[in-house]
Amino acid sequence: MPGSAKMVTMSISRRDETLNDLAQAIRNVTVPDSPAIRRASVEPYLDADGDPALKAVIILDSPGEGGWSAAFTHELRKQVNRLAAERHLDEHVYVTLFTEQEFNDRGRDDAESASTTAIDDTLTQDQQDG
C-alpha cells in the first residue's frame, strides 16, 4: 500500500507539471490580427454534468470596439483544446477570457456583492423587528 500512495503523489505532481506546461503553451498562442495573451492559468474543473474538465483563464489585451470577434474566440478555444490533446489531456478545456481590468475587478465585485447582500439582509431584519 505505501507504494500506491507514492504513485498518487507522483501522478498529481506530473499532472500539475502538465497543467503548468499547458498554461505556458497557451501564453505563446498567437492568432493573427488579435489581442495578445498577457497571462494564462489552467486548473481542474467539473463541468455542469459533474464530469472532469479543465478551466483555462486567459487575460488578453483589451478588445477593440465591438469586443473580441467570434472568429478570434473560436480559434483561441480550438487552439487551447488542441494544445491540451497534444499533452495527452483527455478533458475538455473551458476557456474564460478577461481583460486585465475585468480580471482585477472580478474579486472586488464578488466582495462588494457579498457585502451588499449582508447589509440588505441586516436592514430587512431591522425593518421587520422595528
Side-chain angles (χ1 to χ4, degrees), residues 22 54 79-89 91 93:
L22 176 57
L54 297 172
Q79 286 193 39
V80 165
N81 276 282
R82 180 186 51 77
L83 290 168
E86 288 174 0
R87 285 155 181 78
H88 307 287
L89 296 167
E91 300 93 342
V93 183

Side-chain angles (χ1 to χ4, degrees), residues 28-127:
N28 294 327
V29 167
T30 56
V31 177
D33 302 320
S34 297
I37 296 173
R38 296 293 171 202
R39 292 190 282 163
S41 64
V42 181
E43 60 188 30
Y45 180 72
L46 289 178
D47 68 14
D49 296 325
D51 294 327
L54 297 172
K55 180 178 181 180
V57 174
I58 301 175
I59 310 222
L60 301 162
D61 283 341
S62 295
E65 281 188 40
W68 295 304
S69 73
F72 163 68
T73 58
H74 175 74
E75 181 62 25
L76 182 58
R77 285 179 168 89
K78 189 169 75 173
Q79 286 193 39
V80 165
N81 276 282
R82 180 186 51 77
L83 290 168
E86 288 174 0
R87 285 155 181 78
H88 307 287
L89 296 167
D90 295 331
E91 300 93 342
H92 177 77
V93 183
Y94 291 90
V95 176
T96 304
L97 305 176
F98 292 101
T99 65
E100 193 77 44
Q101 185 66 45
E102 289 169 338
F103 185 78
N104 291 335
D105 289 347
R106 184 177 67 144
R108 197 171 318 128
D109 290 343
D110 292 343
E112 288 172 6
S113 175
S115 174
T116 302
T117 301
I119 292 168
D120 290 344
D121 290 348
T122 302
L123 288 172
T124 302
Q125 186 63 39
D126 286 347
Q127 289 172 350

Side-chain angles (χ1 to χ4, degrees), residues 11 20 44 48 52 108 114:
S11 178
N20 288 336
R108 197 171 318 128

